[in-house]
Amino acid sequence: MDHPSTAKQMSSPLQQWWHTTTAYQVYPRSFSDSDGDGIGDIPGIISKLDYLKDLGIGVIWLSPIYRSPMDDNGYDISDYRDIAAEFGTLDDFDQLVREAKARDIGILLDLVVNHTSDEHPWFVQSRADRDNPYRDFYIWRRPAADGGPPNDLQSSFGGPAWTLDPATGDYYLHLFSRRQPDLNWQNPRVREEIYSMMNWWIARGIAGFRMDVIDYIGKQPDAGIVTDGSRLHDYLQEMNAATFGGRDLLTVGETWSATPQSALLYSGRDRNELSMVFQFEHVTQQWDSVYGKWRPKPLDLVALKAVLGKWQQALSTDGWNSLFWGNHDLPRAVSRYGDVTGYRVASAKMLATVLHLLKGTPFVYQGEEIGMTNVPFTTIDQYRDIETLNMQRLHVDAGLLPEEFLKGANESSRDNARTPMQWSSDPHGGFSSGIPWIDVNDNYTTVNAAAAIADTASIWHHYRHLIGMRKAHPVIVYGQYRSYLDDDPNVFVYERQLDEVRLVVVANFKPLPLSLTMPPEAQIRGLCLSSNYAARDRIDATIDLAPYEAFAVLERR
Ligand code: GLC
């Protein structure tokens, strides 16, 4: 496709427009409400395109906007070829694509094809009787000998992944909510339907897809295999050939199971699968081995650096990294990795510096660019997320005190990321003139986009600067990664090198001043590319860092 200005910068077939771009995730329900029903919508997104253009982003990943009963906020689709009424119409969508394109911004759709809604006509047919032509669109099994589920596969949202359907007395598989039945990818008709639907959207001018739990589609449920099934990569190659292959689109797979080895299968140059994947090792490494994210561990910087560095190295000559701290399923970046009590601004800028100067395509989650924080809900009634509500029931039934669960939810619930975007200090943060579907974080009076834009020292301006730097300096896009001081629990120091240009990044992850001894190879002088305190143009043998200070120096030999 004739995508963004970036196409002009391509100098070799190995370079892609999405190498230099920065992506931005919009969670439509919570971004901007144009009609006062308390729910964000497509006209609302269109009204904010100039804001995104000013920030410098080149691609928007839209969380699902399709018709849906909204059991999982749109990740349960009942019509792949229509828009949810609360979000707008197909005309609105076409206008969004057009208006975005006019600003050199591409639109990535969220491709949710591991499962549909139970209200999708395919499932309505499928469940009707065993001989229905759509029966094999989903995964049905006879009950076990005792009448229970066929096996002990569990749903990610808690409880068994099998539900008995009274109409036929069989169980169907749902690896998420029971209202999200899993499609049967082994059925070639299912795959054809999906490819045809993808081509229908591609023809509307989108820039690509983010692919929901795409590592699940090769599942072999009878063998208890969910991710990385034996035909997963065959399906992706088939999809590539049937749809986006050869069209210069950006495709990013959500793959919680990815390892550096499998990431090369997905995104290797000659594989004809995807552009890149989202890997989550830096996320899951911080979870408790028993209670998972509901009991996160304190941040271990040495481990975090090891994981990020491992991915930088593994995909240094083939494949491509995505870079992100947050998304609609994760806590707010500054709450998780930074410090919202005393150093919200400094630590948010530090985190942005570290992430945006790595090799890969950065994804900014809405509100991250103004340092939005987790939301301190005080009762379970304020939560809306199906996962949080299911897990609360299960944990409290198992004996956990409700206030204990609330503590975990305050840190890890997906709703932390889903409270409305804070645009201004107007009521409800300027998100809606009505009552928002979920409460706005009370800190909107100070943490909001209008205030951030007005203040040149804000987190927003820092993001804008970093996004611009990526377009200006090939060393940020293509430079070789090397780390220093791997065992230091307080600082993240790395270098990027491309030909005669070196960039060294130094970041203090602690709310304390530190004195740092730098290895001789990392001592450079040149141009200060980024800083969240006073500019620095050299790295000497000893440097004194302020709390959460982060800066980058570029040297040309
Ligand atoms: C992905 C989405 C998440 C959704 C799930 C089921 O993990 O990011 O929000 O609930 O898939 O579709």
Side-chain angles (χ1 to χ4, degrees):
M1 66 178 268
D2 55 325
H3 194 268
S5 50
T6 38
K8 293 175 216 128
Q9 296 163 16
M10 277 194 223
S11 57
S12 109
L14 296 183
Q15 299 188 359
Q16 307 285 349
W17 63 266
W18 37 265
H19 286 167
T20 322
T21 207
T22 297
Y24 186 96
Q25 183 188 354
V26 166
Y27 195 68
R29 205 174 181 78
S30 304
F31 193 59
S32 176
D33 173 20
S34 72
D35 59 4
D37 66 354
I39 297 174
D41 47 46
I42 295 174
I45 301 171
I46 295 173
S47 74
K48 300 299 182 186
L49 285 172
D50 285 334
Y51 168 87
L52 297 174
K53 173 77 182 160
D54 284 351
L55 190 57
I57 70 114
V59 146
I60 296 171
W61 153 24
L62 269 191
S63 277
I65 36 88
Y66 317 87
R67 181 169 299 198
S68 161
M70 300 287 165
D71 188 48
D72 185 19
N73 287 358
Y75 283 91
D76 49 318
I77 296 168
S78 55
D79 185 346
Y80 283 111
R81 299 186 195 217
D82 204 356
I83 305 289
E86 54 266 66
F87 292 156
T89 63
L90 272 172
D91 283 344
D92 293 331
F93 180 79
D94 290 339
Q95 193 192 343
L96 171 64
V97 170
R98 254 194 329 271
E99 298 255 357
K101 212 169 248 180
R103 292 165 178 82
D104 270 341
I105 295 174
I107 301 289
L108 294 191
L109 280 185
D110 211 318
L111 186 77
V112 188
V113 292
N114 173 67
H115 45 266
T116 67
S117 160
D118 63 346
E119 292 183 23
H120 194 290
W122 297 338
F123 190 70
V124 173
Q125 295 272 332
S126 183
R127 79 190 320 177
D129 63 273
R130 288 205 184 113
D131 301 324
N132 191 284
Y134 285 92
R135 186 66 167 180
D136 280 347
F137 267 49
Y138 295 86
I139 299 171
W140 294 96
R141 293 290 182 270
R142 302 293 301 149
D146 64 357
N151 64 29
D152 61 2
L153 276 177
Q154 295 294 301
S155 148
S156 293
F157 292 162
W162 298 99
T163 288
L164 184 66
D165 197 45
T168 56
D170 287 347
Y171 280 85
Y172 66 91
L173 181 74
H174 56 88
L175 292 164
F176 293 90
S177 103
R178 62 177 58 200
R179 303 209 49 200
Q180 293 167 298
D182 278 57
L183 282 165
N184 176 18
W185 271 73
Q186 290 177 16
N187 181 348
R189 279 181 60 214
V190 167
R191 306 204 298 275
E192 276 161 29
E193 287 280 1
I194 287 168
Y195 304 154
S196 134
M197 174 272 286
M198 291 171 73
N199 285 327
W200 188 80
W201 287 106
I202 290 171
R204 296 191 106 90
I206 61 169
F209 297 100
R210 175 267 186 184
M211 302 187 181
D212 195 62
V213 290
I214 204 68
D215 52 347
Y216 281 35
I217 62 174
K219 71 184 77 78
Q220 297 162 260
D222 303 308
I225 296 172
V226 170
T227 60
D228 302 281
S230 57
R231 294 182 66 193
L232 167 63
H233 293 283
D234 295 342
Y235 295 154
L236 288 173
Q237 288 173 10
E238 181 185 80
M239 176 195 281
N240 176 305
T243 63
F244 53 82
R247 294 195 203 229
D248 204 16
L249 299 184
L250 162 55
T251 51
V252 49
E254 184 204 23
T255 55
W256 285 78
S257 69
T259 61
Q261 292 70 39
S262 70
L264 282 168
L265 298 181
Y266 290 108
S267 69
R269 198 176 300 127
D270 301 322
R271 296 278 308 166
N272 295 323
E273 294 189 19
L274 307 178
S275 312
M276 65 188 96
V277 292
F278 291 129
Q279 64 84 17
F280 292 87
E281 245 191 289
H282 61 296
V283 173
T284 54
Q285 108 191 137
Q286 300 164 46
W287 292 358
D288 184 83
S289 53
V290 178
Y291 297 100
K293 70 176 180 181
W294 304 103
R295 195 169 291 175
K297 300 185 281 198
L299 180 62
D300 175 345
L301 183 63
V302 171
L304 177 69
K305 291 190 292 185
V307 165
L308 292 175
K310 177 177 79 175
W311 280 84
Q312 288 287 300
Q313 298 294 1
L315 306 189
S316 66
T317 54
D318 193 16
W320 191 256
N321 272 297
S322 65
L323 306 168
F324 65 96
W325 290 128
N327 68 26
H328 67 294
D329 294 329
L330 301 176
R332 288 283 175 183
V334 66
S335 299
R336 178 63 203 140
Y337 301 94
D339 181 336
V340 294
T341 50
Y343 295 97
R344 188 183 64 86
V345 173
S347 65
K349 289 182 185 173
M350 180 279 288
L351 291 168
T353 309
V354 167
L355 196 82
H356 284 248
L357 298 180
L358 288 172
K359 184 170 178 182
T361 300
F363 283 74
V364 178
Y365 179 69
Q366 68 181 41
E368 179 187 324
E369 76 281 14
I370 55 169
M372 280 178 62
T373 63
N374 281 354
V375 64
F377 284 155
T378 50
T379 81
I380 192 70
D381 304 337
Q382 289 172 289
Y383 286 95
R384 299 285 175 268
D385 169 33
I386 180 169
E387 181 196 48
T388 309
L389 298 176
N390 281 358
M391 288 297 176
Q392 200 259 3
R393 223 172 299 124
L394 289 173
H395 280 78
V396 170
D397 283 353
L400 189 72
L401 290 173
E403 48 276 27
E404 277 292 306
F405 183 84
L406 208 56
K407 230 173 95 202
N410 278 182
E411 281 197 59
S412 291
S413 166
R414 306 196 297 180
D415 280 341
N416 285 303
R418 299 177 180 186
T419 61
M421 176 72 186
Q422 296 164 204
W423 292 106
S424 69
S425 57
D426 292 344
H428 308 305
F431 160 72
S432 172
S433 58
I435 305 295
W437 68 279
I438 186 170
D439 291 348
V440 179
N441 193 321
D442 281 343
N443 64 14
Y444 75 86
T445 50
T446 49
V447 179
N448 64 64
I453 291 168
D455 172 8
T456 53
S458 70
I459 301 167
W460 191 86
H461 283 279
H462 192 77
Y463 268 81
R464 182 174 196 245
H465 176 72
L466 288 168
I467 293 167
M469 289 294 104
R470 174 168 291 268
K471 294 175 193 157
H473 295 282
V475 65
I476 299 174
V477 184
Y478 294 111
Q480 180 66 35
Y481 172 89
R482 171 183 179 183
S483 62
Y484 294 104
L485 305 175
D486 292 347
D487 297 328
D488 189 307
N490 303 318
V491 294
F492 197 163
V493 179
Y494 66 82
E495 168 190 296
R496 307 287 311 284
Q497 170 157 19
L498 184 69
D499 304 326
E500 70 291 353
V501 181
R502 282 212 300 161
L503 176 71
V504 175
V505 181
V506 178
N508 178 3
F509 267 72
K510 291 285 140 88
L512 308 164
L514 290 175
S515 183
L516 194 62
T517 307
M518 291 297 288
E521 317 89 272
Q523 296 170 27
I524 65 171
R525 39 182 78 187
L527 181 75
C528 183
L529 220 56
S530 167
S531 164
N532 60 353
Y533 284 81
R536 293 179 186 254
D537 56 10
R538 55 195 289 168
I539 299 178
D540 295 324
T542 314
I543 43 180
D544 292 318
L545 293 173
Y548 291 108
E549 179 167 357
F551 65 94
V553 177
L554 181 123
E555 179 184 71
R556 237 176 259 282
R557 290 237 178 93

